[in-house]
Amino acid sequence: MSGAMLAATVPDSLTFAISAAVILAGAFGVITSRNAVHAALSLVMTLFGVAVLFIEQQASFLAAVQIIVYAGAIVVLFLFVIMFLGVDRRENVAEEPLRGQRPLALLLVAVAIGGVIALEVSAHWATGAHAVAGSTTAGHHSNVYVLGKAVFTTYLFAFEATAALLVIAVVGAVVLAKRPRAGESQDEERPEESAGPQEPVVGGSSVDDERPAALVGGGASSSGAAEDDGGGG
Amino acid sequence: MSIPGEWYLILAAALFILGALGLLVRRNVLVMFMCIELMLNAANLTFVTYSRMLGDIGGQVVVFFVLVVAAAEVVVGLGIVVAIFRRRASSSADDLNALKG
């Protein structure tokens, strides 16, 4: 196996080695940094390394999408939520709520990676029948051409379904992030004595009674709770 | 000649396992989300590697759809985190015990 590694050209080997180091360092940064902002920045590091490896494997379109969507949208959304919630204070990593969970997790990880490497040295992995979508370089076309043709012909229905999925996700994010209107009940935190005169319940819990806003939902709902934090994805 | 695919697969396995480890040991919901992204990226790297090894564009199409689903998942997940934080003022997974019997 190391012989195969040596048979690769020097630039390829160097690219792979540096990207692998960047990816693993970023992943370690995500799981070890106490500050959530640092974790998000380490995540960007890992995503860039993966994008480089996409380019190295002639998946140039996916590399561009990886940078634009992941590093450009998802991580920015993460950072936005971290700073919006103000949870960038440090987490106490030392405390361990579940006894023995960490050693057990490390043991599981060691078993898993050992099993994967044992499989790797003993088996030929890429087996099975090919899909119907065609070759990566059909007729010496570019990667974008081949990928676009597959997406818009063979996988057209799945592509249309993603449109519905994205619309549902946006609507869901808006509904989740919307501040409850004054007077709308948050069942869990309603004080018993403020339940008020019961209106006839028509269709569930969303009856819009007219109690003053001061009685409803104290606690965490800060005054500046934003209206639109879900549209970034 | 480029790097053999097995090296990419081992790297992706290591990345996946690091993500799983982080998901198991961290308590901050946002960091747990980032670890899920790590695991998604490991799966994407595996798909692209197999796509190259088999000379089949299908693997890259799957990665394309995984990216879409990951974006939707993060948007909804962070919306849930914001909604929970508004009630509990905490982003630790240990505080989410409202369903505890």
Side-chain angles (χ1 to χ4, degrees), chain A residues 87 89 91 95 97 188-189, chain B residues 26-29 32 84-85 87-100:
Chain A
V87 292
R89 59 176 178 269
E91 174 189 1
E95 87 176 49
E188 216 176 65
E189 295 180 353
Chain B
R26 289 305 294 264
R27 290 281 165 252
N28 190 330
V29 180
M32 289 166 79
I84 290 174
F85 191 85
R87 284 192 177 204
R88 313 294 308 247
S90 159
S91 67
S92 168
D94 284 329
D95 294 339
L96 305 179
N97 53 5
L99 284 179
K100 198 173 180 181

Side-chain angles (χ1 to χ4, degrees), chain A residues 149-226:
Chain A
K149 198 173 174 191
V151 167
F152 287 115
T153 56
T154 313
Y155 296 96
L156 182 62
F157 181 72
F159 182 74
E160 300 277 356
T162 59
L165 176 72
L166 286 175
V167 170
I168 292 168
V170 168
V171 171
V174 169
V175 169
L176 280 171
K178 190 165 63 94
R179 211 139 52 113
R181 264 181 300 167
E184 205 162 282
S185 64
Q186 300 254 335
D187 290 337
E188 216 176 65
E189 295 180 353
R190 176 195 296 178
E192 287 301 321
E193 60 273 17
S194 76
Q198 288 295 321
E199 304 222 0
V201 176
V202 184
S205 65
S206 65
V207 181
D208 196 4
D209 48 1
E210 297 291 322
R211 283 178 289 118
L215 294 177
V216 184
S221 63
S222 59
S223 60

Side-chain angles (χ1 to χ4, degrees), chain A residues 15-28 45-46, chain B residues 11:
Chain A
T15 310
F16 179 79
I18 293 174
S19 307
V22 165
I23 287 172
L24 293 180
F28 268 113
M45 208 166 123
T46 296
Chain B
L11 175 66

Side-chain angles (χ1 to χ4, degrees), chain A residues 33-54:
Chain A
S33 61
R34 297 179 177 185
N35 193 324
V37 176
H38 297 168
L41 296 180
S42 303
L43 182 64
V44 174
M45 208 166 123
T46 296
L47 299 176
F48 267 100
V50 172
V52 170
L53 288 189
F54 281 179

Side-chain angles (χ1 to χ4, degrees), chain A residues 66 91 101 125 130-131 220, chain B residues 9 24 26-27 41 54 86:
Chain A
Q66 170 98 355
E91 174 189 1
Q101 189 205 10
W125 281 14
H130 285 209
Chain B
L9 296 178
L24 285 174
R26 289 305 294 264
R27 290 281 165 252
N41 266 278
L54 292 171
R86 214 169 266 162

